[in-house]
């Protein structure tokens, strides 16, 4: 049977791993390729590189990181951050990425998802949905799409947007709660479940993981098929193996190939 | 040993090439891995790999767009019996026809149609994306020594269509996704995997090593 996936995300800036709390106040957590190798050896199910400052800075560094990773790691690699054109996608896939996650460019121009999906196939187009809760207490739940690392509101309804990008050809959704990102208080389960239940494509839950129980909640309660986390893994609070052991004990089928 | 990985504009071949180099090294095989769009390289190769990602019709059109490639493949694989591995859409292209969006003719090496996945559990997501175990239906040298079954190793899948082989004897392995998904097909010197061995860590490298050692 298909297993739930645990995806460590490496936020990369200038070729180095960082993880910001709510996307500011960045800390340095090392060389991305070394981290990728360690996660590969530890049994991570997939890797995600997020080039967080790609819009302002030299994109060449991420291509080099991806290229060096592909030489060492034989697992799926997703790269996001600053992808604006089909040429950007082609460069990343050629460097060794398997999937790309598209964020702002699709918010600005939805058709970009269709073009990318038609050119490279839905299987490698991940639509990134950065959502912030905008409903007040007591009101019906409502989330809005934010861009630029959660700084810029767009007025776009997140639920409608997720459905739209899937209709345009996205093969997977990377769903990040901008309220929870960096807070370590757990996923926004209402948001995750609402989108996961609505869509026919896999949903990766992201934003807010602080404990192993949060990973369980993302799959069990949020109905995500994959869970993404960064800092709990980078800073050695938990290993990938501890995470998967914990999820197995909670009754979630996981891939435990390391000992076989 | 020369390994030709056919480049016809479909996706990332860098990681496939690296996986074959790694598998060869780990098996102490002297291997030259060539990512190539030249039919001549395919004719001269000892082992031939046809990858493929994206839509069926696009992959078929891409393959046809390389002048002389289909002829070279038929010569090397069908006439000369060189070991051949198709990966993902590269497996699907072996079918008689692909039915993704429209009817597209395949190479016809493994008779059958490529049809959409239809899991009986509607809550399951399409694409079938992620790590699944495989059931070995019949023994084959490329699966030698690889633990399969519910407690076996996992393979990485990402696809929405699969090959329904007309001849059940051509199905070597399946995966369970609320339906029986074709995971591996083969006959004679031909093998195909719906999953990505180049992305399947331990299982993938073992299967690639076996393929390189295979002398059908």
């Amino acid at each position: 049977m298909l297993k739930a996936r645990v995806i460590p995300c490496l936020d990369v800036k200038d070729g180095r791993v960082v993880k910001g709390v709510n996307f500011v106040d960045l800390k340095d957590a090392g060389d991305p390729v070394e981290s990728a190798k360690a996660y590969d050896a530890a049994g991570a199910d997939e890797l995600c590189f997020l080039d967080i400052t790609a819009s302002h800075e030299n994109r060449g560094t991420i291509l080099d990181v991806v290229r060096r990773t592909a030489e060492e790691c034989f697992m799926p690699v997703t790269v996001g951050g600053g992808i604006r054109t089909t040429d950007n996608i082609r460069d990343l896939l050629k460097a060794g990425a398997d999937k790309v996650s598209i964020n702002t460019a699709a918010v600005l121009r939805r058709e970009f998802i269709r073009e990318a999906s038609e050119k490279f196939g839905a299987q490698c187009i991940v639509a990134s949905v950065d959502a912030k809760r905008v409903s007040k207490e007591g009101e019906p739940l409502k989330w809005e799409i934010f861009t630029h690392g959660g700084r810029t509101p767009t007025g776009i309804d997140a639920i409608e947007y997720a459905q739209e990008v899937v209709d345009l050809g996205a093969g997977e959704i990377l769903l990040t709660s901008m309220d929870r990102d960096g807070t370590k208080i757990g996923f926004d389960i209402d948001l995750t479940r609402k989108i996961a239940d609505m869509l026919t494509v896999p949903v990766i839950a992201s934003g807010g993981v602080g404990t192993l129980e949060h990973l369980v909640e993302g799959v069990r309660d949020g109905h995500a098929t994959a869970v993404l986390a960064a800092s709990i893994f980078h800073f050695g609070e938990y290993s990938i193996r501890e995470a998967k052991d914990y999820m197995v004990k909670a009754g979630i089928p996981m891939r435990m190939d390391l000992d076989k | 040993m020369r390994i030709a990985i056919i480049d016809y504009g479909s996706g990332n071949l860098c990681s496939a090439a690296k996986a074959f180099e790694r598998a060869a090294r780990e098996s102490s095989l002297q291997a030259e891995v060539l990512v190539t769009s030249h039919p001549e390289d395919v004719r001269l190769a000892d082992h031939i790999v046809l990858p493929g990602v994206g839509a069926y019709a696009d992959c078929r059109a891409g393959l046809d767009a390389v002048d002389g490639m289909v002829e070279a493949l038929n010569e090397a694989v069908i006439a000369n019996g060189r070991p051949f591995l198709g990966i993902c859409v590269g497996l699907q292209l072996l079918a008689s026809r692909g039915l993704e969006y429209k009817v597209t003719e395949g190479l016809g090496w493994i008779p059958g149609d490529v049809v959409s996945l239809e899991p009986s559990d509607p809550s399951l997501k399409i694409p079938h994306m992620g790590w699944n175990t495989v059931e070995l239906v019949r023994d084959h040298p490329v699966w030698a020594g690889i633990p399969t079954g519910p407690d076996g190793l996992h393979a990485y899948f990402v696809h929405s269509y699969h090959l329904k082989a007309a001849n059940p004897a051509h199905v070597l392995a399946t995966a369970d996704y609320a339906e029986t998904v074709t995971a591996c097909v083969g006959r004679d010197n031909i093998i195909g995997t719906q999953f990505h061995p180049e992305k399947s860590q331990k299982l993938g490298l073992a299967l690639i090593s076996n393929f390189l050692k295979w002398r059908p």
Side-chain angles (χ1 to χ4, degrees):
Chain A
M1 75 184 299
L2 193 72
K3 306 303 192 292
R5 286 172 281 155
V6 172
I7 308 175
C9 179
L10 298 161
D11 289 6
V12 178
K13 184 191 180 193
D14 298 332
R16 300 281 295 174
V17 179
V18 286
K19 173 63 189 175
V21 176
N22 284 327
F23 287 120
V24 272
D25 187 27
L26 302 175
K27 295 179 201 167
D28 192 329
D31 174 26
V33 182
E34 288 307 309
S35 302
K37 277 162 68 177
Y39 284 135
D40 186 47
D45 297 308
E46 201 167 311
L47 266 179
C48 181
F49 287 122
L50 186 61
D51 194 2
I52 45 172
T53 53
S55 24
H56 334 290
E57 303 191 35
N58 180 9
R59 289 194 54 77
T61 55
I62 192 71
L63 290 175
D64 182 57
V65 166
V66 172
R67 205 172 290 120
R68 289 191 293 130
T69 303
E71 290 181 7
E72 306 274 356
C73 300
F74 302 105
M75 65 192 308
V77 175
T78 301
V79 184
I83 294 166
R84 295 281 184 276
T85 65
T86 50
D87 282 347
N88 293 155
I89 299 174
R90 186 187 313 280
D91 289 346
L92 285 164
L93 296 179
K94 274 186 102 163
D98 298 287
K99 302 188 248 184
V100 291
S101 88
I102 300 174
N103 194 339
T104 309
V107 174
L108 297 176
R109 195 173 68 83
R110 238 49 65 78
E111 277 297 305
F112 183 48
I113 295 284
R114 187 199 301 278
E115 290 160 18
S117 182
E118 281 178 359
K119 201 156 201 148
F120 306 104
Q123 84 293 332
C124 74
I125 304 302
V126 182
S128 189
V129 175
D130 288 356
K132 209 177 234 183
R133 208 181 267 239
V134 289
S135 48
K136 304 224 164 48
E137 202 142 327
E139 289 177 359
L141 293 175
K142 189 170 164 56
W143 294 266
E144 186 178 321
I145 297 288
F146 277 67
T147 59
H148 300 92
R151 293 192 298 270
T152 313
T154 64
I156 300 166
D157 182 85
I159 308 295
E160 287 169 18
Y161 178 79
Q163 183 65 61
E164 197 179 347
V165 288
V166 168
D167 293 343
L168 286 167
E172 193 171 31
I173 295 290
L174 170 53
L175 176 63
T176 304
S177 160
M178 302 313 290
D179 308 293
R180 299 299 178 92
D181 202 77
T183 63
K184 300 198 160 209
I185 59 169
F187 296 118
D188 183 338
I189 293 297
D190 293 327
L191 170 71
T192 308
R193 189 172 50 233
K194 182 138 189 154
I195 289 188
D197 286 352
M198 173 183 76
L199 297 178
T200 54
V201 303
V203 171
I204 305 168
S206 158
V209 175
T211 69
L212 300 182
E213 183 63 20
H214 292 154
L215 299 175
V216 170
E217 289 166 4
V219 177
R220 186 191 59 204
D221 307 331
H223 302 171
T225 59
V227 284
L228 180 142
S231 52
I232 66 158
F233 296 132
H234 300 335
F235 296 116
E237 289 164 50
Y238 300 102
S239 68
I240 297 286
R241 174 181 285 253
E242 284 168 330
K244 291 175 123 185
D245 281 343
Y246 189 91
M247 293 172 82
V248 166
K249 285 205 187 89
I252 297 171
M254 303 298 297
R255 179 182 72 111
M256 307 298 280
D257 280 358
L258 282 183
D259 303 324
K260 292 173 190 162
Chain B
M1 176 194 295
R2 278 179 208 229
I3 303 154
I5 300 178
I6 300 174
D7 180 5
Y8 58 105
S10 176
N12 148 47
L13 306 183
C14 161
S15 56
K18 295 295 172 197
F20 276 80
E21 282 167 9
R22 166 74 71 94
R25 208 162 53 236
E26 286 181 356
S27 310
S28 307
L29 296 166
Q30 287 289 333
E32 184 193 349
V33 179
L34 218 55
V35 174
T36 179
S37 52
H38 298 295
E40 205 48 34
D41 290 334
V42 172
R43 283 198 181 84
L44 294 173
D46 302 300
H47 283 65
I48 297 161
V49 182
L50 182 65
V53 293
Y56 194 94
D58 290 347
C59 284
R60 177 70 220 228
L63 195 59
D64 288 340
V66 184
D67 204 23
M69 187 55 89
V70 172
E71 292 77 8
L73 272 170
N74 272 303
E75 189 184 313
V77 180
I78 302 300
N80 295 332
R82 301 276 161 67
F84 170 94
L85 170 64
I87 298 173
C88 197
V89 183
L91 168 158
Q92 297 180 359
L93 286 170
L94 306 181
S96 318
R97 305 186 302 167
L99 305 185
E100 185 175 353
Y101 303 119
K102 58 180 178 179
V103 178
T104 306
E105 207 175 309
L107 293 169
W109 296 353
I110 304 278
D113 285 344
V114 175
V115 301
S116 59
L117 292 174
E118 279 164 8
S120 58
D121 176 353
S123 76
L124 290 183
K125 303 301 183 186
I126 302 288
H128 172 219
M129 185 187 285
W131 297 87
N132 207 331
T133 46
V134 292
E135 294 293 330
L136 199 56
V137 180
R138 62 197 74 243
D139 283 330
H140 191 283
V142 305
W143 286 97
I146 298 176
T148 53
D151 299 320
L153 293 175
H154 291 74
Y156 184 78
F157 290 82
V158 50
H159 64 122
S160 304
Y161 292 78
H162 71 147
L163 170 52
K164 281 266 187 220
N167 181 351
H170 289 162
V171 177
L172 302 183
T174 60
D176 175 27
Y177 196 54
E179 75 170 311
T180 302
V181 174
T182 302
C184 180
V185 296
R187 70 166 177 91
D188 307 316
N189 55 313
I190 297 165
I191 189 128
T193 60
Q194 180 58 63
F195 58 87
H196 288 267
E198 78 281 16
K199 292 288 156 191
S200 295
Q201 290 183 333
K202 203 185 254 186
L203 179 149
L205 290 174
L207 186 134
I208 293 170
S209 293
N210 285 342
F211 171 69
L212 295 178
K213 290 181 224 156
W214 185 34
R215 299 286 177 275

